[in-house]
Amino acid sequence: MRSRIEKTFKKLQKHGKKAFIPYIMAGDPSLDATKEIVFLFEECRADIVELGVPFSDPLADGPTIQQAAERALQNGVTLRKVIALVEDLRKATQIPLILMTYFNPVMKYGVENFVRDAAHAGVDGVIIPDLPPDEAADFLNLTNPASLNVIFLLAPTSTDERIKKVARASRGFIYYVSITGITGGTLLLNSSFHTSISRIKHFTNKPVAVGFGVSAPEEAAEVAQLADGVIVGSAIIKKYRESPDRVKDYLTSLRQAIQ
Amino acid sequence: MPDKKGYFGIYGGRFVPETLMPALQELEAAFLDSKKDKDFRRELVHLQKTYIGRPTPLYYAKRLTEHLSGARIYLKREDLAHTGAHKINNAVGQVLLARKMGKKRVIAETGAGQHGVATATGAALVGLGCEIYMGSVDMQRQALNVFRMRLLGAKVTEVPTGSQTLKDAINEALRDWTTNVRTTHYILGTVYGPHPFPEMVREFQSVIGKESKKQMFSAEGKLPDYLIACVGGGSNAMGLFSEFLKDISIQMVGVEAGGKGIETGEHAARFAGGSFGVFQGCKTYLLQDDDGNVLGTHSVSAGLDYAAIGPEHPFLRDEGRVRYTYATDGEALAAFELLSHTEGIIPALESAHAVAEAIKIAPQLSKEKIILVNLSGRGDKDVQQVAQIKGIGL
């Protein structure tokens, strides 16, 4: 049986289309607001939505997402509450939902409990940046890939050996970190970016979505030429903070760019 | 020794973003190679002797012993190493490794500033670019060390996020490393983080224990009965303990920062108040809330003010090999003054935590017993802060 994420990519591929995957930090500025943003994402024809889980020490994130996490934590948002939010969202939408969380909140929650509760609430996938496949054997053993996809990351520094390992372990899609750096960094769409994507494609048939540093619609369009999906996070949060009334236009322009 | 994946029992491992995984594999290979590389070893030993000033003395603290009228107390004088603390042992080892790997730049985190100073020193020694990350709170209480690092040619970057202390400096250093990993080596300052750091830093610090063992035999003709060391991340403790782990007659004590007392919640005693988790690259014990967010810590000593502990320590605790306890700010400050008065040695506030434990147990032991305290650093950097605590304007 295919997961909701796998079905989404299958359908897109059939029509020669690419996935638009917006990210938002859950609970910033409030869980109610997050709900509204998810509905807005859906209205703007996002294919998959990524929800950030706030953590005190987000070492893979740049300042924009760090500050969003701090605001969410100040609002008392926890992994438990984000799972409850998904359960609530599932009453109104069937859009695939992915949680991006660091590993310690999951460990504290209990890996077995997390896997069960997340799948039950309607979470389709989970991205844990500080859990490489080398350390994920126990986690994967507890996960049923038909109900919860564990998505692993690749980076510009990944060797062929690691590409094979990550590609084998990753379910739903492979998350390619477009820059050597943290979220919200400066994207450089040069020839080595192109080479990296084709190198990954050489080793796997699984969909590859690209994130970290994608901001302008023109960048998104170029990334979509090569990859199967485009993830935009920091730029959406920034737009939401600076000019909330223009978020919808921005999302629409991203959607138009990612075809 | 950890297993192949860097685990001490259930603790350790390599929990970092993918971008850093190849760099850790490269580092592990270079480290293993350096162990067999005769030229590397020769240069390290030469620098330990001519630059760091090793071996550091093992000193019999006669007047402190008489004052406490119990076990005989020896001090391993890491405070006499170049730059004033044991941190230099690791920094020199790692700058040589960085050069061997062809890196042009090193970065480091620092709490008390001692590791930052040691790294800046090592970088100057071999001619590498250097940037040090330090929390805003620590920059204020260790202003002298900030100036020292700048004198040594390092760029000191303030970290104003989170609790503005050591853990936030590590986050920022990891972010820098993730961004500049191709040209930069991250000199982690303690037996912490992803494999191979805990094993590698212990190896570079093990010179403390090796020397101590020899020196103890020539001073007393036997092994000590107790080893005491303070534990922040835990590198001076592992440097001392590792050489004696198989000598089962020796009791070992690791002293954490009790801050204002465990009941106040303002402390850095991971065993007294923490639980199992994964943080900044490894599985270990850390101070966290019910939702897995890392808690702020407090200690009068910036070098012990950290929410987690190196992964070999909980392993040694579970095995029953090392006992862990804590000293409060007040106890550490009292030890700081007592050692200054009785021996003419001003210890670092970190090391004063170890001295505080010796003060507690020595009077209960007979005069035949020997306690070896690792005096990991000197207290010059802390003088201003202690004056402030005592309400004395300088």
Side-chain angles (χ1 to χ4, degrees), chain B residues 26-57:
Chain B
E26 178 195 8
L27 178 61
E28 184 184 9
F31 169 61
L32 291 175
D33 188 59
S34 76
K35 285 177 148 182
K36 293 173 284 182
D37 180 341
K38 280 188 184 140
D39 291 338
F40 184 95
R41 304 310 300 175
R42 198 176 302 126
E43 185 173 12
L44 180 60
V45 169
H46 178 71
L47 287 173
Q48 284 174 340
K49 190 175 164 192
T50 60
Y51 188 73
I52 299 178
R54 306 207 71 89
T56 58

PDB file of all heavy atoms in Angstrom, chain B residues 26-57:
ATOM      1  N   GLU B  26      35.664  11.612   7.598  1.00  0.00           N
ATOM      2  CA  GLU B  26      37.018  12.068   7.240  1.00  0.00           C
ATOM      3  C   GLU B  26      37.854  12.274   8.512  1.00  0.00           C
ATOM      4  O   GLU B  26      39.012  11.860   8.591  1.00  0.00           O
ATOM      5  CB  GLU B  26      36.906  13.386   6.456  1.00  0.00           C
ATOM      6  CG  GLU B  26      38.252  13.987   6.055  1.00  0.00           C
ATOM      7  CD  GLU B  26      38.142  15.461   5.612  1.00  0.00           C
ATOM      8  OE1 GLU B  26      37.050  16.063   5.759  1.00  0.00           O
ATOM      9  OE2 GLU B  26      39.152  16.001   5.152  1.00  0.00           O
ATOM     10  N   LEU B  27      37.237  12.902   9.510  1.00  0.00           N
ATOM     11  CA  LEU B  27      37.930  13.166  10.765  1.00  0.00           C
ATOM     12  C   LEU B  27      38.313  11.863  11.468  1.00  0.00           C
ATOM     13  O   LEU B  27      39.432  11.715  11.967  1.00  0.00           O
ATOM     14  CB  LEU B  27      37.037  14.019  11.676  1.00  0.00           C
ATOM     15  CG  LEU B  27      37.589  14.358  13.057  1.00  0.00           C
ATOM     16  CD1 LEU B  27      38.877  15.172  12.945  1.00  0.00           C
ATOM     17  CD2 LEU B  27      36.552  15.131  13.880  1.00  0.00           C
ATOM     18  N   GLU B  28      37.378  10.921  11.463  1.00  0.00           N
ATOM     19  CA  GLU B  28      37.649   9.636  12.103  1.00  0.00           C
ATOM     20  C   GLU B  28      38.832   8.936  11.436  1.00  0.00           C
ATOM     21  O   GLU B  28      39.737   8.433  12.117  1.00  0.00           O
ATOM     22  CB  GLU B  28      36.393   8.758  12.022  1.00  0.00           C
ATOM     23  CG  GLU B  28      36.537   7.432  12.742  1.00  0.00           C
ATOM     24  CD  GLU B  28      35.306   6.545  12.570  1.00  0.00           C
ATOM     25  OE1 GLU B  28      34.411   6.885  11.764  1.00  0.00           O
ATOM     26  OE2 GLU B  28      35.269   5.496  13.235  1.00  0.00           O
ATOM     27  N   ALA B  29      38.841   8.964  10.105  1.00  0.00           N
ATOM     28  CA  ALA B  29      39.938   8.327   9.372  1.00  0.00           C
ATOM     29  C   ALA B  29      41.268   9.017   9.683  1.00  0.00           C
ATOM     30  O   ALA B  29      42.285   8.358   9.921  1.00  0.00           O
ATOM     31  CB  ALA B  29      39.655   8.372   7.872  1.00  0.00           C
ATOM     32  N   ALA B  30      41.254  10.362   9.712  1.00  0.00           N
ATOM     33  CA  ALA B  30      42.489  11.107   9.984  1.00  0.00           C
ATOM     34  C   ALA B  30      42.974  10.842  11.410  1.00  0.00           C
ATOM     35  O   ALA B  30      44.178  10.704  11.662  1.00  0.00           O
ATOM     36  CB  ALA B  30      42.248  12.604   9.782  1.00  0.00           C
ATOM     37  N   PHE B  31      42.029  10.756  12.337  1.00  0.00           N
ATOM     38  CA  PHE B  31      42.394  10.493  13.730  1.00  0.00           C
ATOM     39  C   PHE B  31      43.027   9.102  13.883  1.00  0.00           C
ATOM     40  O   PHE B  31      44.080   8.946  14.512  1.00  0.00           O
ATOM     41  CB  PHE B  31      41.159  10.643  14.625  1.00  0.00           C
ATOM     42  CG  PHE B  31      41.351  10.137  16.021  1.00  0.00           C
ATOM     43  CD1 PHE B  31      42.327  10.692  16.847  1.00  0.00           C
ATOM     44  CD2 PHE B  31      40.573   9.100  16.516  1.00  0.00           C
ATOM     45  CE1 PHE B  31      42.519  10.218  18.141  1.00  0.00           C
ATOM     46  CE2 PHE B  31      40.755   8.626  17.800  1.00  0.00           C
ATOM     47  CZ  PHE B  31      41.735   9.177  18.615  1.00  0.00           C
ATOM     48  N   LEU B  32      42.374   8.101  13.275  1.00  0.00           N
ATOM     49  CA  LEU B  32      42.915   6.740  13.364  1.00  0.00           C
ATOM     50  C   LEU B  32      44.294   6.672  12.718  1.00  0.00           C
ATOM     51  O   LEU B  32      45.212   6.044  13.238  1.00  0.00           O
ATOM     52  CB  LEU B  32      41.955   5.738  12.690  1.00  0.00           C
ATOM     53  CG  LEU B  32      40.629   5.536  13.424  1.00  0.00           C
ATOM     54  CD1 LEU B  32      39.705   4.620  12.625  1.00  0.00           C
ATOM     55  CD2 LEU B  32      40.856   4.965  14.824  1.00  0.00           C
ATOM     56  N   ASP B  33      44.431   7.369  11.611  1.00  0.00           N
ATOM     57  CA  ASP B  33      45.711   7.386  10.910  1.00  0.00           C
ATOM     58  C   ASP B  33      46.799   8.078  11.749  1.00  0.00           C
ATOM     59  O   ASP B  33      47.946   7.650  11.780  1.00  0.00           O
ATOM     60  CB  ASP B  33      45.527   8.100   9.570  1.00  0.00           C
ATOM     61  CG  ASP B  33      46.763   7.979   8.711  1.00  0.00           C
ATOM     62  OD1 ASP B  33      47.139   6.829   8.411  1.00  0.00           O
ATOM     63  OD2 ASP B  33      47.371   9.014   8.379  1.00  0.00           O
ATOM     64  N   SER B  34      46.404   9.143  12.454  1.00  0.00           N
ATOM     65  CA  SER B  34      47.386   9.892  13.254  1.00  0.00           C
ATOM     66  C   SER B  34      47.960   9.045  14.390  1.00  0.00           C
ATOM     67  O   SER B  34      49.081   9.264  14.843  1.00  0.00           O
ATOM     68  CB  SER B  34      46.747  11.163  13.831  1.00  0.00           C
ATOM     69  OG  SER B  34      45.899  10.841  14.923  1.00  0.00           O
ATOM     70  N   LYS B  35      47.156   8.062  14.824  1.00  0.00           N
ATOM     71  CA  LYS B  35      47.644   7.195  15.915  1.00  0.00           C
ATOM     72  C   LYS B  35      48.827   6.343  15.461  1.00  0.00           C
ATOM     73  O   LYS B  35      49.676   5.968  16.262  1.00  0.00           O
ATOM     74  CB  LYS B  35      46.521   6.267  16.396  1.00  0.00           C
ATOM     75  CG  LYS B  35      45.481   6.951  17.250  1.00  0.00           C
ATOM     76  CD  LYS B  35      44.394   5.939  17.592  1.00  0.00           C
ATOM     77  CE  LYS B  35      43.765   6.190  18.942  1.00  0.00           C
ATOM     78  NZ  LYS B  35      42.756   5.178  19.251  1.00  0.00           N
ATOM     79  N   LYS B  36      48.839   6.037  14.155  1.00  0.00           N
ATOM     80  CA  LYS B  36      49.915   5.196  13.625  1.00  0.00           C
ATOM     81  C   LYS B  36      51.029   6.016  12.978  1.00  0.00           C
ATOM     82  O   LYS B  36      52.056   5.492  12.616  1.00  0.00           O
ATOM     83  CB  LYS B  36      49.336   4.217  12.583  1.00  0.00           C
ATOM     84  CG  LYS B  36      48.404   3.183  13.173  1.00  0.00           C
ATOM     85  CD  LYS B  36      47.733   2.350  12.088  1.00  0.00           C
ATOM     86  CE  LYS B  36      46.630   3.145  11.405  1.00  0.00           C
ATOM     87  NZ  LYS B  36      45.872   2.438  10.376  1.00  0.00           N
ATOM     88  N   ASP B  37      50.737   7.309  12.805  1.00  0.00           N
ATOM     89  CA  ASP B  37      51.658   8.185  12.083  1.00  0.00           C
ATOM     90  C   ASP B  37      52.788   8.646  13.020  1.00  0.00           C
ATOM     91  O   ASP B  37      52.578   9.463  13.918  1.00  0.00           O
ATOM     92  CB  ASP B  37      50.847   9.384  11.555  1.00  0.00           C
ATOM     93  CG  ASP B  37      51.693  10.369  10.771  1.00  0.00           C
ATOM     94  OD1 ASP B  37      52.940  10.355  10.914  1.00  0.00           O
ATOM     95  OD2 ASP B  37      51.099  11.163  10.021  1.00  0.00           O
ATOM     96  N   LYS B  38      53.985   8.101  12.802  1.00  0.00           N
ATOM     97  CA  LYS B  38      55.101   8.367  13.724  1.00  0.00           C
ATOM     98  C   LYS B  38      55.491   9.843  13.750  1.00  0.00           C
ATOM     99  O   LYS B  38      55.822  10.388  14.802  1.00  0.00           O
ATOM    100  CB  LYS B  38      56.312   7.511  13.349  1.00  0.00           C
ATOM    101  CG  LYS B  38      56.167   6.099  13.859  1.00  0.00           C
ATOM    102  CD  LYS B  38      57.442   5.287  13.657  1.00  0.00           C
ATOM    103  CE  LYS B  38      57.188   3.839  14.092  1.00  0.00           C
ATOM    104  NZ  LYS B  38      57.823   2.875  13.193  1.00  0.00           N
ATOM    105  N   ASP B  39      55.477  10.472  12.579  1.00  0.00           N
ATOM    106  CA  ASP B  39      55.827  11.902  12.528  1.00  0.00           C
ATOM    107  C   ASP B  39      54.833  12.741  13.318  1.00  0.00           C
ATOM    108  O   ASP B  39      55.196  13.673  14.032  1.00  0.00           O
ATOM    109  CB  ASP B  39      55.877  12.396  11.080  1.00  0.00           C
ATOM    110  CG  ASP B  39      57.049  11.788  10.329  1.00  0.00           C
ATOM    111  OD1 ASP B  39      58.018  11.360  11.008  1.00  0.00           O
ATOM    112  OD2 ASP B  39      56.984  11.717   9.094  1.00  0.00           O
ATOM    113  N   PHE B  40      53.552  12.385  13.172  1.00  0.00           N
ATOM    114  CA  PHE B  40      52.507  13.106  13.898  1.00  0.00           C
ATOM    115  C   PHE B  40      52.721  12.961  15.398  1.00  0.00           C
ATOM    116  O   PHE B  40      52.709  13.933  16.154  1.00  0.00           O
ATOM    117  CB  PHE B  40      51.124  12.563  13.493  1.00  0.00           C
ATOM    118  CG  PHE B  40      49.973  13.308  14.122  1.00  0.00           C
ATOM    119  CD1 PHE B  40      49.340  14.346  13.454  1.00  0.00           C
ATOM    120  CD2 PHE B  40      49.512  12.958  15.397  1.00  0.00           C
ATOM    121  CE1 PHE B  40      48.275  15.032  14.045  1.00  0.00           C
ATOM    122  CE2 PHE B  40      48.458  13.639  15.984  1.00  0.00           C
ATOM    123  CZ  PHE B  40      47.843  14.681  15.308  1.00  0.00           C
ATOM    124  N   ARG B  41      52.929  11.733  15.839  1.00  0.00           N
ATOM    125  CA  ARG B  41      53.131  11.469  17.280  1.00  0.00           C
ATOM    126  C   ARG B  41      54.352  12.226  17.791  1.00  0.00           C
ATOM    127  O   ARG B  41      54.337  12.811  18.879  1.00  0.00           O
ATOM    128  CB  ARG B  41      53.322   9.974  17.573  1.00  0.00           C
ATOM    129  CG  ARG B  41      52.235   9.042  17.102  1.00  0.00           C
ATOM    130  CD  ARG B  41      50.848   9.436  17.486  1.00  0.00           C
ATOM    131  NE  ARG B  41      50.579   9.548  18.920  1.00  0.00           N
ATOM    132  CZ  ARG B  41      49.423   9.982  19.414  1.00  0.00           C
ATOM    133  NH1 ARG B  41      48.452  10.345  18.604  1.00  0.00           N
ATOM    134  NH2 ARG B  41      49.258  10.054  20.708  1.00  0.00           N
ATOM    135  N   ARG B  42      55.426  12.187  17.001  1.00  0.00           N
ATOM    136  CA  ARG B  42      56.680  12.822  17.413  1.00  0.00           C
ATOM    137  C   ARG B  42      56.463  14.330  17.590  1.00  0.00           C
ATOM    138  O   ARG B  42      56.898  14.917  18.570  1.00  0.00           O
ATOM    139  CB  ARG B  42      57.779  12.540  16.381  1.00  0.00           C
ATOM    140  CG  ARG B  42      59.196  12.774  16.923  1.00  0.00           C
ATOM    141  CD  ARG B  42      60.275  12.397  15.900  1.00  0.00           C
ATOM    142  NE  ARG B  42      60.178  11.008  15.488  1.00  0.00           N
ATOM    143  CZ  ARG B  42      60.097  10.587  14.233  1.00  0.00           C
ATOM    144  NH1 ARG B  42      60.092  11.445  13.230  1.00  0.00           N
ATOM    145  NH2 ARG B  42      60.023   9.299  13.948  1.00  0.00           N
ATOM    146  N   GLU B  43      55.769  14.931  16.628  1.00  0.00           N
ATOM    147  CA  GLU B  43      55.532  16.371  16.712  1.00  0.00           C
ATOM    148  C   GLU B  43      54.640  16.714  17.916  1.00  0.00           C
ATOM    149  O   GLU B  43      54.894  17.685  18.632  1.00  0.00           O
ATOM    150  CB  GLU B  43      54.881  16.893  15.416  1.00  0.00           C
ATOM    151  CG  GLU B  43      54.746  18.407  15.428  1.00  0.00           C
ATOM    152  CD  GLU B  43      54.273  19.006  14.105  1.00  0.00           C
ATOM    153  OE1 GLU B  43      53.833  18.241  13.230  1.00  0.00           O
ATOM    154  OE2 GLU B  43      54.355  20.241  13.982  1.00  0.00           O
ATOM    155  N   LEU B  44      53.629  15.883  18.138  1.00  0.00           N
ATOM    156  CA  LEU B  44      52.730  16.134  19.274  1.00  0.00           C
ATOM    157  C   LEU B  44      53.493  16.047  20.598  1.00  0.00           C
ATOM    158  O   LEU B  44      53.381  16.930  21.452  1.00  0.00           O
ATOM    159  CB  LEU B  44      51.561  15.130  19.252  1.00  0.00           C
ATOM    160  CG  LEU B  44      50.535  15.273  20.384  1.00  0.00           C
ATOM    161  CD1 LEU B  44      49.869  16.648  20.368  1.00  0.00           C
ATOM    162  CD2 LEU B  44      49.453  14.182  20.290  1.00  0.00           C
ATOM    163  N   VAL B  45      54.276  15.004  20.746  1.00  0.00           N
ATOM    164  CA  VAL B  45      55.046  14.831  21.991  1.00  0.00           C
ATOM    165  C   VAL B  45      56.038  15.989  22.170  1.00  0.00           C
ATOM    166  O   VAL B  45      56.198  16.524  23.277  1.00  0.00           O
ATOM    167  CB  VAL B  45      55.779  13.469  21.988  1.00  0.00           C
ATOM    168  CG1 VAL B  45      56.794  13.384  23.122  1.00  0.00           C
ATOM    169  CG2 VAL B  45      54.761  12.331  22.085  1.00  0.00           C
ATOM    170  N   HIS B  46      56.657  16.388  21.060  1.00  0.00           N
ATOM    171  CA  HIS B  46      57.610  17.495  21.107  1.00  0.00           C
ATOM    172  C   HIS B  46      56.914  18.778  21.570  1.00  0.00           C
ATOM    173  O   HIS B  46      57.432  19.515  22.414  1.00  0.00           O
ATOM    174  CB  HIS B  46      58.236  17.679  19.721  1.00  0.00           C
ATOM    175  CG  HIS B  46      59.201  18.813  19.636  1.00  0.00           C
ATOM    176  ND1 HIS B  46      60.450  18.773  20.238  1.00  0.00           N
ATOM    177  CD2 HIS B  46      59.109  20.026  19.048  1.00  0.00           C
ATOM    178  CE1 HIS B  46      61.073  19.921  20.019  1.00  0.00           C
ATOM    179  NE2 HIS B  46      60.280  20.701  19.301  1.00  0.00           N
ATOM    180  N   LEU B  47      55.740  19.049  21.019  1.00  0.00           N
ATOM    181  CA  LEU B  47      55.005  20.268  21.397  1.00  0.00           C
ATOM    182  C   LEU B  47      54.483  20.177  22.829  1.00  0.00           C
ATOM    183  O   LEU B  47      54.447  21.177  23.551  1.00  0.00           O
ATOM    184  CB  LEU B  47      53.846  20.522  20.429  1.00  0.00           C
ATOM    185  CG  LEU B  47      54.256  21.013  19.036  1.00  0.00           C
ATOM    186  CD1 LEU B  47      53.051  21.057  18.102  1.00  0.00           C
ATOM    187  CD2 LEU B  47      54.913  22.394  19.107  1.00  0.00           C
ATOM    188  N   GLN B  48      54.090  18.976  23.227  1.00  0.00           N
ATOM    189  CA  GLN B  48      53.645  18.814  24.623  1.00  0.00           C
ATOM    190  C   GLN B  48      54.763  19.228  25.580  1.00  0.00           C
ATOM    191  O   GLN B  48      54.531  19.877  26.591  1.00  0.00           O
ATOM    192  CB  GLN B  48      53.238  17.353  24.890  1.00  0.00           C
ATOM    193  CG  GLN B  48      51.880  16.986  24.298  1.00  0.00           C
ATOM    194  CD  GLN B  48      51.546  15.517  24.431  1.00  0.00           C
ATOM    195  OE1 GLN B  48      52.446  14.677  24.630  1.00  0.00           O
ATOM    196  NE2 GLN B  48      50.274  15.177  24.307  1.00  0.00           N
ATOM    197  N   LYS B  49      55.973  18.861  25.195  1.00  0.00           N
ATOM    198  CA  LYS B  49      57.109  19.136  26.076  1.00  0.00           C
ATOM    199  C   LYS B  49      57.582  20.588  25.974  1.00  0.00           C
ATOM    200  O   LYS B  49      57.718  21.281  26.995  1.00  0.00           O
ATOM    201  CB  LYS B  49      58.249  18.185  25.688  1.00  0.00           C
ATOM    202  CG  LYS B  49      59.413  18.184  26.645  1.00  0.00           C
ATOM    203  CD  LYS B  49      60.427  17.122  26.246  1.00  0.00           C
ATOM    204  CE  LYS B  49      61.746  17.387  26.955  1.00  0.00           C
ATOM    205  NZ  LYS B  49      62.834  16.573  26.389  1.00  0.00           N
ATOM    206  N   THR B  50      57.801  21.049  24.743  1.00  0.00           N
ATOM    207  CA  THR B  50      58.459  22.351  24.589  1.00  0.00           C
ATOM    208  C   THR B  50      57.488  23.523  24.533  1.00  0.00           C
ATOM    209  O   THR B  50      57.879  24.661  24.753  1.00  0.00           O
ATOM    210  CB  THR B  50      59.296  22.370  23.291  1.00  0.00           C
ATOM    211  OG1 THR B  50      58.423  22.141  22.177  1.00  0.00           O
ATOM    212  CG2 THR B  50      60.380  21.320  23.318  1.00  0.00           C
ATOM    213  N   TYR B  51      56.233  23.258  24.229  1.00  0.00           N
ATOM    214  CA  TYR B  51      55.288  24.363  24.046  1.00  0.00           C
ATOM    215  C   TYR B  51      54.262  24.422  25.180  1.00  0.00           C
ATOM    216  O   TYR B  51      54.023  25.468  25.764  1.00  0.00           O
ATOM    217  CB  TYR B  51      54.582  24.202  22.698  1.00  0.00           C
ATOM    218  CG  TYR B  51      53.716  25.393  22.311  1.00  0.00           C
ATOM    219  CD1 TYR B  51      54.291  26.596  21.908  1.00  0.00           C
ATOM    220  CD2 TYR B  51      52.320  25.306  22.360  1.00  0.00           C
ATOM    221  CE1 TYR B  51      53.506  27.684  21.560  1.00  0.00           C
ATOM    222  CE2 TYR B  51      51.534  26.395  22.007  1.00  0.00           C
ATOM    223  CZ  TYR B  51      52.119  27.579  21.607  1.00  0.00           C
ATOM    224  OH  TYR B  51      51.340  28.652  21.270  1.00  0.00           O
ATOM    225  N   ILE B  52      53.679  23.241  25.499  1.00  0.00           N
ATOM    226  CA  ILE B  52      52.661  23.211  26.562  1.00  0.00           C
ATOM    227  C   ILE B  52      53.337  23.224  27.930  1.00  0.00           C
ATOM    228  O   ILE B  52      52.795  23.739  28.907  1.00  0.00           O
ATOM    229  CB  ILE B  52      51.756  21.960  26.403  1.00  0.00           C
ATOM    230  CG1 ILE B  52      51.031  22.007  25.049  1.00  0.00           C
ATOM    231  CG2 ILE B  52      50.769  21.848  27.543  1.00  0.00           C
ATOM    232  CD1 ILE B  52      50.155  20.803  24.747  1.00  0.00           C
ATOM    233  N   GLY B  53      54.560  22.663  27.981  1.00  0.00           N
ATOM    234  CA  GLY B  53      55.276  22.602  29.253  1.00  0.00           C
ATOM    235  C   GLY B  53      55.012  21.328  30.026  1.00  0.00           C
ATOM    236  O   GLY B  53      54.995  21.313  31.260  1.00  0.00           O
ATOM    237  N   ARG B  54      54.781  20.232  29.319  1.00  0.00           N
ATOM    238  CA  ARG B  54      54.541  18.954  29.970  1.00  0.00           C
ATOM    239  C   ARG B  54      55.857  18.237  30.244  1.00  0.00           C
ATOM    240  O   ARG B  54      56.834  18.471  29.546  1.00  0.00           O
ATOM    241  CB  ARG B  54      53.642  18.070  29.088  1.00  0.00           C
ATOM    242  CG  ARG B  54      52.322  18.742  28.684  1.00  0.00           C
ATOM    243  CD  ARG B  54      51.266  17.704  28.423  1.00  0.00           C
ATOM    244  NE  ARG B  54      50.864  17.088  29.681  1.00  0.00           N
ATOM    245  CZ  ARG B  54      49.889  17.527  30.470  1.00  0.00           C
ATOM    246  NH1 ARG B  54      49.183  18.577  30.128  1.00  0.00           N
ATOM    247  NH2 ARG B  54      49.616  16.924  31.595  1.00  0.00           N
ATOM    248  N   PRO B  55      55.908  17.353  31.210  1.00  0.00           N
ATOM    249  CA  PRO B  55      54.791  16.995  32.086  1.00  0.00           C
ATOM    250  C   PRO B  55      54.495  18.103  33.108  1.00  0.00           C
ATOM    251  O   PRO B  55      55.421  18.755  33.584  1.00  0.00           O
ATOM    252  CB  PRO B  55      55.291  15.731  32.797  1.00  0.00           C
ATOM    253  CG  PRO B  55      56.781  15.839  32.761  1.00  0.00           C
ATOM    254  CD  PRO B  55      57.111  16.547  31.488  1.00  0.00           C
ATOM    255  N   THR B  56      53.205  18.290  33.400  1.00  0.00           N
ATOM    256  CA  THR B  56      52.854  19.219  34.476  1.00  0.00           C
ATOM    257  C   THR B  56      53.146  18.525  35.809  1.00  0.00           C
ATOM    258  O   THR B  56      53.077  17.302  35.896  1.00  0.00           O
ATOM    259  CB  THR B  56      51.362  19.585  34.406  1.00  0.00           C
ATOM    260  OG1 THR B  56      50.586  18.386  34.490  1.00  0.00           O
ATOM    261  CG2 THR B  56      51.025  20.315  33.107  1.00  0.00           C
ATOM    262  N   PRO B  57      53.490  19.290  36.841  1.00  0.00           N
ATOM    263  CA  PRO B  57      53.860  18.652  38.111  1.00  0.00           C
ATOM    264  C   PRO B  57      52.693  17.955  38.815  1.00  0.00           C
ATOM    265  O   PRO B  57      51.543  18.329  38.614  1.00  0.00           O
ATOM    266  CB  PRO B  57      54.319  19.834  38.975  1.00  0.00           C
ATOM    267  CG  PRO B  57      54.486  20.991  38.069  1.00  0.00           C
ATOM    268  CD  PRO B  57      53.611  20.758  36.881  1.00  0.00           C
TER     269      PRO B  57
END
